[in-house]
Structures are given as C-alpha cells and as structure tokens.
Amino acid sequence: FVYLTLRLFNRVVHNAMQTRAADRLSATFAALADPTRRAILARLALGETSVSKLAAPFAMSMPAVSKHLKVLERAGLITRGRDAQMRPCRIEAGPLIGVDDWLTEYRKLWEERLDRLDDYLQVLKAQGSAAVTNTKASKNGGKRGRNK
C-alpha cells in the first residue's frame, strides 16, 4: 500500500512539473510573439536600463509600455529592480534557455530528416545517371565510338 501510494504521488508530482514547464514555455512564446516585446528584449540584451529609456523608441504611452513589461516579467524574461527613483529592467536568460532546449530537440529531428532526404536524393541522382548512361549505350547499339 505504501509503495503504491508513493508511486502515485511521484507520478502526480512528475506530471505537475511537466505541466508547469509546458506552461512556462507557452508563457515565454506568448511574450515573444509581440514585436514590441522582442524589441524591448533586444535592448535589454545590451544591458540594464530604465523603463523611460526602454519606452523612448516606441510611439506609445508609458502605460502601454508598462503592460508589455508586465507580460515579459510574468513570463520570467525580465526582472525589475528598484534603485532610488529608477526601476531598472534587466533580461533574464532562464526562459530563453528553456526555449533553446525545446528548439534543440526539433532541430535534431529536422536535421536527421533532412540528412535522410539528402541521402535518398543522392541515390536517385546516382540511379538517374546510371539510367542516362544505359540509355545512351542502347541508342549506340552498345558500341562505343562508332564512326560514320
């Protein structure tokens, strides 16, 4: 009974962890879906900066920029600190590493598939070359270098 309960508990914990990881990944992709948020992250990749400096290149209100920052913050892509009157923002790599890990699996899958396709195309090319050579030989009556 104890073994079964422990095993069930471990399964529940494992499933919950997978769900949280998938939810984190979904939140990261949702945050990255907007070009304004991607531009904010690109700026933060250069270093920590204030909200007002982040907002400067965009033709939008400070509340709109703040909403974008909240989405990025909820996804864990940025953190906001407090330095006297300034609230500096900085990029956080953790969620991006999760995206890279997820993409790596698919990159491997597609590289393997494309390698197999390339191998198959090389076989077809070789068969095509052989077929062309055989066709030329049969047109010449199997004789090479025939003079007229």
Side-chain angles (χ1 to χ4, degrees), residues 19 25 34 38 42 49 56 65 79 83 85 92 109 112 121 136 147:
T19 302
L25 189 61
D34 186 273
R38 290 193 305 271
T49 191
V65 171
T79 55
D83 184 18
Q85 296 295 323
E92 294 295 328
L109 171 80
E112 289 170 4
L121 291 174
K136 285 182 182 177
N147 292 331

Side-chain angles (χ1 to χ4, degrees):
F1 178 74
V2 172
Y3 171 76
L4 193 57
T5 304
L6 214 55
R7 189 169 174 189
L8 181 60
F9 177 75
N10 286 340
R11 181 168 289 183
V12 168
V13 169
H14 178 72
N15 288 343
M17 287 174 63
Q18 284 182 327
T19 302
R20 274 190 240 125
D23 289 345
R24 243 188 326 255
L25 189 61
S26 295
T28 303
F29 277 121
L32 293 172
D34 186 273
T36 302
R37 292 192 284 267
R38 290 193 305 271
I40 290 170
L41 286 175
R43 169 54 190 90
L44 289 174
L46 300 174
E48 183 178 284
T49 191
S50 68
V51 174
S52 59
K53 287 182 182 174
L54 283 174
F58 303 107
M60 63 177 68
S61 66
M62 283 300 285
V65 171
S66 184
K67 284 183 181 181
H68 283 294
L69 293 175
K70 284 179 186 173
V71 171
L72 291 169
E73 196 170 20
R74 276 196 304 268
L77 290 164
I78 68 166
T79 55
R80 291 197 262 186
R82 210 175 263 285
D83 184 18
Q85 296 295 323
M86 191 174 96
R87 295 221 33 193
C89 297
R90 73 183 58 84
I91 195 168
E92 294 295 328
L96 294 174
I97 292 169
V99 168
D100 186 54
D101 292 344
W102 184 82
L103 288 172
T104 297
E105 292 303 314
Y106 285 95
R107 187 178 302 117
K108 287 178 189 174
L109 171 80
W110 283 106
E111 285 174 354
E112 289 170 4
R113 287 181 179 183
L114 290 172
D115 287 345
R116 285 196 312 264
L117 177 61
D118 187 49
D119 293 344
Y120 179 67
L121 291 174
Q122 293 302 323
V123 168
L124 288 179
K125 187 176 177 182
Q127 288 174 349
S129 295
V132 169
T133 303
N134 290 340
T135 304
K136 285 182 182 177
S138 65
K139 282 184 181 178
N140 289 335
K143 298 176 185 171
R144 291 188 180 175
R146 205 162 104 187
N147 292 331
K148 291 186 180 182

